């Protein structure tokens, strides 16, 4: 287990040196850290609830402190106004970063409030109820394909055959996207999120820039087609809503493009990782798969434990909207902090024995965020996971993992790239 040694991590005044977190963050991006981040989380928390980041700002590791940031009205996302007040703005001027800064996740009130209200109750109970039969049918078809791959090859990659395909099928049908375009959208999404890393490299930013331009071209064309057809689909409805809010039709189409792109990206990478991680965690411990198969009433609890144990987004950033105190430390206005979801969810003060995956834990987690930026698709992600796991347990009673999952070398958007299974 990694532990911070006071002689190396603390300065003479007792404060933690900014370099203390460097080896931990490097390990979190490594194959070893991606497979088992628990020593990293322990090491970060050993440095305190608020750890100076090597590049400036702070890493927030404790559950209560993270919860305070996520729910606090004076904590903001790093929008354009904040970016303009910074020095060394090269990262913020990147094309991909600029484009994402126009989307809902990077807006503060009042613009965030206006855009979110325009979406209405995006995935309310009635909407999810209407979507459920089609999601169940999608799951059936994907599991048919998984069974065929296992039958012919002896094993199959759950992540690519099922985990990635269910979310794109769900959001694609909801938005009226042609199934033939799904592979292209997945590739663009995988490449775009590089820009959302804490410290993206120049090569990552270049890949993300091209993906962002491709996404802009694709969804701008899609919005233009929906305007011309004026149908009853979701995107056409957004166009009519924003036509009533904006006098400039070009501004309306740009707004709808940004909403459509954001909802698509937010719906894919995160849910796909949840599905694969959930299956992996259930297959790791002998008897756990069979136990849950015999007790399907605990499926929802298993899903929440997977969200706690291995959050699809491991880090999120906020800035202080005013001078404040967090975890006993004074932070001036504009200070950036990074909410470490994984470390917070495994804070033993909130969830005892945090490194044990326990479907009966009934613990708490911050994976869907909090406050104004609470995840819009939380209910949909749970619905997809519930539909998948219910059928998977019934149809594959002897499912087993052939090898541990493989991960993309990223810190923020955790992605399972492969999970080989057999039955």
């Amino acid at each position: 287990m990694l532990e911070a040694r006071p002689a190396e991590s603390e300065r003479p005044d007792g404060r933690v040196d900014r370099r203390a977190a460097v080896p931990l963050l490097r390990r979190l991006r490594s194959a070893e850290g991606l497979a088992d981040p628990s020593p990293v989380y322990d090491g970060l928390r050993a440095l305190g609830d608020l750890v100076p980041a090597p590049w400036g700002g702070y890493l927030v590791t404790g559950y209560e402190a993270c919860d305070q940031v996520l729910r606090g009205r004076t904590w903001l996302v790093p929008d354009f106004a904040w970016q303009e007040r910074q020095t060394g703005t090269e990262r913020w001027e990147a094309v991909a970063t600029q484009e994402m800064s126009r989307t809902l996740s990077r807006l503060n009130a009042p613009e965030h409030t206006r855009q979110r209200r325009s979406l209405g109750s995006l995935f309310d109970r009635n909407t999810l109820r209407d979507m459920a039969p089609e999601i169940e049918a999608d799951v059936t078809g994907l599991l048919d394909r998984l069974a065929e791959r296992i039958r012919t090859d002896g094993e199959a990659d759950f992540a690519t055959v099922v985990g990635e395909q269910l979310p794109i099928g769900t959001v694609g049908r909801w938005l009226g996207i042609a199934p033939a375009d799904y592979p292209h959208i997945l590739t663009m999404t995988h490449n775009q999120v590089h820009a959302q890393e804490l410290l993206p490299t120049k090569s990552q930013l270049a890949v993300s820039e091209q993906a962002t331009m491709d996404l802009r071209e694709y969804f701008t064309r899609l919005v233009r087609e929906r305007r011309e057809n004026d149908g009853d689909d979701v995107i056409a409805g957004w166009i009519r809503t924003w036509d009533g809010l904006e006098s400039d039709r070009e501004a309306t189409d740009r707004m709808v493009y940004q909403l459509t792109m954001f909802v698509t990206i937010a719906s894919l990478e995160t849910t796909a990782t949840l599905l694969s991680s959930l299956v992996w965690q259930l297959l790791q411990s002998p008897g756990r798969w069979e136990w849950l198969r015999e007790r399907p009433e605990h499926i929802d609890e298993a899903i929440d434990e997977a969200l706690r144990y291995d959050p699809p987004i491991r880090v999120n950033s906020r800035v202080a909207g005013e001078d404040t105190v967090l975890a006993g430390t004074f932070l001036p206005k504009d200070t950036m902090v990074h909410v470490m979801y994984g470390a917070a969810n495994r804070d033993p003060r909130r969830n005892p024995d945090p490194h044990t995956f326990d479907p009966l834990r009934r613990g708490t987690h911050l994976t869907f965020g909090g406050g104004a930026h609470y995840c819009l698709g939380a209910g949909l992600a749970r619905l997809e996971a519930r539909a998948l796991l219910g059928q998977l347990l019934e149809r594959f009673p002897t499912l087993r993992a052939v090898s541990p999952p493989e991960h993309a070398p990223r810190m923020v958007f955790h992605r399972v790239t492969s999970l080989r299974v057999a039955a």
Side-chain angles (χ1 to χ4, degrees):
M1 182 173 296
L2 298 178
E3 296 182 355
R5 292 186 294 176
E8 296 180 1
S9 65
E10 292 187 5
R11 304 186 319 198
D13 60 5
R15 298 179 64 184
V16 175
D17 192 290
R18 288 197 176 275
R19 295 170 295 179
V22 170
L24 294 165
L25 294 174
R26 285 176 178 166
R27 183 168 179 176
L28 190 58
R29 283 195 296 261
S30 70
E32 181 184 19
L34 290 167
D36 179 18
S38 53
V40 178
Y41 296 152
D42 286 344
L44 287 171
R45 279 196 311 275
L47 295 173
D49 287 341
L50 199 64
V51 181
W55 53 85
Y58 293 85
L59 309 171
V60 192
T61 68
Y63 187 99
E64 293 298 333
C66 286
D67 190 46
Q68 180 181 336
V69 170
L70 292 172
R71 298 180 189 277
R73 293 187 178 184
T74 60
W75 286 97
L76 309 175
V77 295
D79 60 8
F80 280 124
W82 177 86
Q83 293 173 28
E84 290 172 356
R85 294 194 294 270
Q86 308 310 303
T87 57
T89 59
E90 182 179 354
R91 176 197 169 185
W92 305 109
E93 293 171 353
V95 170
T97 305
Q98 291 274 304
E99 199 77 355
M100 289 307 297
S101 294
R102 296 184 177 93
T103 65
L104 199 59
S105 63
R106 294 287 183 87
L107 298 176
N108 294 303
E111 183 59 25
H112 177 270
T113 305
R114 186 171 81 117
Q115 289 195 26
R116 185 143 186 174
R117 283 177 178 170
S118 78
L119 296 174
S121 299
L122 201 59
F123 296 112
D124 60 15
R125 183 175 300 179
N126 291 334
T127 300
L128 294 177
R129 181 195 61 210
D130 294 342
M131 296 176 75
E134 293 178 317
I135 291 175
E136 290 283 356
D138 281 353
V139 169
T140 299
L142 291 172
L143 294 188
D144 286 344
R145 191 179 306 170
L146 182 72
E148 178 62 20
R149 294 279 181 88
I150 292 175
R151 187 186 68 80
T152 57
D153 300 335
E155 61 182 59
D157 184 356
F158 178 88
T160 57
V161 175
V162 179
E164 287 189 347
Q165 300 306 316
L166 181 58
I168 185 60
T170 299
V171 73
R173 179 176 53 250
W174 182 65
L175 293 173
I177 295 172
D181 293 342
Y182 292 175
H184 183 43
I185 291 173
L186 284 172
T187 298
M188 290 188 291
T189 300
H190 292 330
N191 290 336
Q192 198 283 334
V193 297
H194 285 303
Q196 299 181 54
E197 287 295 295
L198 289 182
L199 295 173
T201 64
K202 288 185 177 180
S203 61
Q204 286 177 323
L205 286 174
V207 169
S208 190
E209 177 177 342
Q210 183 60 56
T212 300
M213 294 170 65
D214 291 343
L215 283 163
R216 181 194 300 165
E217 178 183 358
Y218 180 88
F219 284 112
T220 298
R221 182 174 66 250
L222 187 66
V223 170
R224 184 171 60 248
E225 292 171 354
R226 298 303 166 82
R227 176 176 285 284
E228 293 171 354
N229 294 331
D230 191 26
D232 294 327
D233 58 275
V234 172
I235 297 176
W238 290 346
I239 292 173
R240 288 190 290 271
T241 295
W242 279 95
D243 277 346
L245 296 172
E246 295 280 355
S247 58
D248 184 349
R249 181 168 291 189
E250 184 176 322
T252 290
D253 289 355
R254 185 168 57 250
M255 182 65 64
V256 175
Y257 142 68
Q258 290 164 359
L259 288 171
T260 306
M261 181 186 70
F262 165 72
V263 169
T264 302
I265 292 175
S267 300
L268 300 185
E269 203 89 346
T270 53
T271 303
T273 292
L274 166 62
L275 300 178
S276 291
S277 179
L278 171 62
V279 170
W280 165 243
Q281 297 304 331
L282 290 172
L283 293 177
Q284 271 204 85
S285 179
R288 186 179 288 161
W289 187 261
E290 182 180 359
W291 179 89
L292 188 58
R293 185 172 184 270
E294 294 173 353
R295 299 166 180 83
E297 66 273 16
H298 293 300
I299 284 178
D300 283 347
E301 293 163 280
I303 293 169
D304 262 312
E305 177 66 348
L307 287 163
R308 180 199 72 84
Y309 191 83
D310 194 14
I313 296 179
R314 291 183 168 177
V315 189
N316 211 337
S317 300
R318 294 287 188 270
V319 295
E322 59 186 39
D323 291 353
T324 189
V325 174
L326 180 65
T329 300
F330 172 77
L331 303 180
K333 178 182 176 180
D334 281 351
T335 299
M336 173 172 274
V337 300
H338 308 288
V339 175
M340 307 294 290
Y341 288 121
N345 289 348
R346 297 201 195 186
D347 187 336
R349 294 167 295 184
R350 171 62 60 155
N351 292 300
D353 191 19
H355 301 317
T356 297
F357 183 90
D358 179 8
L360 295 179
R361 175 183 299 277
R362 297 183 184 274
T364 56
H365 63 77
L366 300 173
T367 299
F368 288 131
H373 287 272
Y374 184 81
C375 178
L376 282 167
L380 180 60
R382 283 195 170 100
L383 175 60
E384 292 177 85
R386 187 183 308 121
L388 173 62
L389 193 52
Q391 289 196 41
L392 197 59
L393 288 164
E394 182 178 347
R395 292 185 56 178
F396 295 83
T398 59
L399 191 72
R400 59 184 176 84
V402 175
S403 57
E406 297 177 5
H407 307 269
R410 302 193 306 227
M411 183 189 300
V412 175
F413 272 80
H414 183 208
R415 180 189 167 208
V416 177
T417 58
S418 178
L419 175 59
R420 308 294 301 183
V421 297

